[in-house]
Structure formats: structure tokens, C-alpha cells
Amino acid sequence: MTTDFSRSWEHAVVTGGAGFVGSHLCTALLDAGTAVTCVDDFSTGRPENIAPLLERPGFTLVQANVAEALRIKRPPDLVLHFASPASPADYLRLPLHTMEAGSLGTRNALELAHANRARFVLASTSEVYGDPQQNPQDERYWGNVNPVGPRSVYDEAKRFGEALTTAHAETHGTDTCIVRLFNTYGPRMRGHDGRAVPTFVRQALDGEPLTVTGDGRQTRSLCYVDDTVRGILAAAAHGMRGPVNIGNPAEITMLDLARLVVELAGSPSDIRFIERPVDDPAVRCPDITLARDKLGWEPQVRAEEGLRRTIAWFREDGTDD
């Protein structure tokens, strides 16, 4: 991954650093010469995601729950709060843990940043828009969220995290940024985490039917993880408060995605339709005008190429959960 930073960092703390996106962030920061402390309790993060980093100079692992006080020996100048279950399978299994990561965890990460006058970046999500009545979604849209539905533990934890981050900046002057991530995918995803791309890839490689929910006409906008990481770090370096959407505005239906994965994997799998989950969004597409105008950022990896890389990783390194 090539990364162009307009601002360099001495020491970054990445909460959830052993997770899917977090581990890619740790790698990118180390590659740029930044020392990294990864904080993870491994409730959903995986040791193998950071195993190659353990022997690298400047990398430190702290196994801890972010909902408890963060004890970091070296003062950071960048704090990236990415600790949270993010897949439906995980946040439905760990509802209270998810809400604590978004509330107490966000507070602790904010206090760490404030105490050290560090830049703070909150990983929010397109899920704050819920089942949107506006498409594409820009940052001014307030969303359409069910506060007591099965997805609410994740949606509302992130919405609370955004509110807390905003209040901390306004009350204490903390240097904060909110990034809203849209459907990131790529290597290091877990095959059984419930999200569409790893589920389809795993099923295609195993020769199983690809399970498309509903009629498959619901859309998502897939952003390859390298592009997402570039966007996050561009927002951190810029100094903007946000929120800012980081995602790919190229929409694809779930049925078309399933067919594309079958084709790219060279799989004999067919398609099987199953019941659609409660509160499953009908559309998901970011308006990235703000990221383009302010950050000079937009995704570079097309879906076909990103899926090829992801399929190749699952063939070689993907493991059962």
C-alpha cells in the first residue's frame, strides 16, 4: 500500500488494532515510520492479524478492554479509536460489549487524546444513517435509525460516540475527527462474520450456494481496505473535525455482488435466497464530495480488483472462525 501523509506522527495508539481495519491501520502507520501501540482485548480481533507486526521496531501490543482505563506508557500524538464489534454476528453476540466500546471506550480514548494533546479519530459508520430515506447519504443527513431494533446496539453506540466526540471537542477543545466508514472489505475479514463479502467468498470457495437475503436488490457500496485506510489517515492529517464519509460511491446490488464473486472465484456455486434480516438497509451509498474536496481523497481500487485480492487471500490465508 502506498500512503501519502501531509502530516507525520511520532506515536499512534490504535484501539481495536488487531481487528480487520485496525490491523491494516497499524501496518500503514508503521510503514510510514510511526510507532504504534495496539490496544485490543481480542473479543473480535485476531492475534494472527498482528502477528507479523510483533517483531517490528516501534510496535507494542497492550491487551486490554477499552471500556476500562487505558494505561499507555508512551504519550501519543494520535489516537485512533477503532475498538468495537463491527459485524452483525459479533454485535448481536456481544450487545453490551458493543455499547460499552462505543460509550466508555470512546470516553477513555478521548481522555487519553486530550491528556496528551493528541489528535483523535473516531471510527464511525454508515450505520448511523440507518435505513436511509436519502440516497446517496451525505454528512448532513440525520438518518433513519430504529433505536430498539436488533442493529441498535451498534448503530446507537456509534451515534453516541459521535455525540460524545463532538461534546468533548466543544467542551475541552480536544482535537477530534469523525470518519464514517462504508462497507470496507478485503484481506483479514473473517469468513463467518456475517458480512456479505466474506460470506459470499467463503461460500463460493467451498462450493456452497451463496445466500442472498431478500430479493437481492438491496445495495451496498464496497470500499477496499487500502482505500479506506488512506482516507482515514488523510482525515487525521488534514485536521478536519468531520464527520466525513469514507467509502466508494459505486453501488452494487447484493445479487450482482454474489454473481460477481462466483465469476471471479471460478466457482460452481449457485444462488439461494433467504429471509432478509430485520432493519436491513435497502440502500447504502456515500456522497464523498467532502472527502474529495477537503482531503483530495477518493477510492482507487475497483470492485473487481479488490474482490480478486480478497478471494486470493481467502484461498491462501483465510481460516475458519
Side-chain angles (χ1 to χ4, degrees):
M1 181 193 308
T2 59
T3 311
D4 180 22
F5 300 119
S6 59
R7 180 174 172 182
S8 60
W9 310 98
E10 294 294 327
H11 175 218
V13 171
V14 182
T15 71
F20 164 48
V21 175
S23 63
H24 285 278
L25 269 173
C26 289
T27 301
L29 287 162
L30 286 168
D31 289 347
T34 302
V36 174
T37 296
C38 164
V39 180
D40 208 296
D41 65 358
F42 297 104
S43 56
T44 59
R46 299 196 295 181
E48 53 264 42
N49 287 346
I50 56 167
L53 307 181
L54 293 175
E55 302 303 320
R56 290 188 60 170
F59 183 79
T60 302
L61 172 63
V62 175
Q63 187 168 347
N65 182 350
V66 294
E68 301 169 1
L70 291 175
R71 295 177 174 85
I72 306 298
K73 294 181 179 179
R74 179 178 176 181
D77 54 356
L78 176 65
V79 176
L80 298 134
H81 182 40
F82 279 70
S84 173
S87 74
D90 288 333
Y91 61 68
L92 293 175
R93 177 174 57 89
L94 299 167
L96 296 179
H97 187 76
T98 301
M99 299 206 78
E100 288 171 355
S103 55
L104 297 173
T106 302
R107 183 195 66 183
N108 289 335
L110 278 163
E111 290 180 354
L112 175 67
H114 179 68
N116 291 281
R117 298 184 177 180
R119 176 78 162 148
F120 174 86
V121 178
L122 173 70
S124 189
T125 171
S126 60
E127 292 297 323
V128 300
Y129 299 121
D131 188 6
Q133 297 175 339
Q134 170 184 308
N135 197 47
Q137 298 87 56
D138 65 32
E139 293 86 354
R140 295 167 295 179
Y141 178 55
W142 291 357
N144 178 37
V145 176
N146 179 356
V148 293
R151 305 170 74 97
S152 65
V153 294
Y154 183 63
D155 300 355
E156 298 294 5
K158 291 297 188 180
R159 287 163 69 94
F160 178 84
E162 288 198 13
L164 181 57
T165 297
T166 301
H168 218 277
E170 293 178 352
T171 303
H172 298 303
T174 311
D175 182 13
T176 65
C177 177
I178 298 168
V179 292
R180 291 176 177 163
L181 309 184
F182 280 70
N183 298 116
T184 304
Y185 73 100
R188 301 181 198 162
M189 297 191 88
R190 292 163 29 229
H192 289 87
D193 81 356
R195 287 180 278 196
V197 169
T199 298
F200 289 166
V201 171
R202 174 183 55 79
Q203 290 170 335
L205 294 179
D206 289 344
E208 301 174 1
L210 273 65
T211 49
V212 174
T213 62
D215 60 11
R217 288 187 292 181
Q218 63 271 32
T219 68
R220 296 295 182 267
S221 299
L222 306 177
C223 193
Y224 189 66
V225 64
D226 289 7
D227 284 331
T228 296
V229 167
R230 282 193 307 105
I232 293 164
L233 295 176
H238 182 274
M240 71 187 314
R241 182 182 288 189
V244 58
N245 290 336
I246 301 296
N248 192 327
E251 261 180 302
I252 186 171
T253 70
M254 291 297 91
L255 182 55
D256 286 343
L257 174 62
R259 288 169 173 163
L260 181 58
V261 169
V262 167
E263 176 187 343
L264 295 175
S267 171
S269 296
D270 56 13
I271 306 294
R272 180 163 61 90
F273 293 93
I274 62 173
E275 185 177 357
R276 190 170 163 190
V278 176
D279 294 337
D280 182 47
V283 294
R284 182 71 84 230
C285 181
D287 182 328
I288 62 168
T289 302
L290 182 61
R292 280 192 178 117
D293 290 350
K294 297 295 185 181
L295 306 178
W297 174 89
E298 61 182 7
Q300 297 176 353
V301 180
R302 294 175 60 86
E304 291 84 351
E305 176 58 28
L307 288 169
R308 283 193 184 95
R309 296 180 192 176
T310 305
I311 291 166
W313 181 84
F314 268 90
R315 275 201 172 105
E316 186 164 342
D317 298 310
T319 56
D320 243 73
D321 303 346

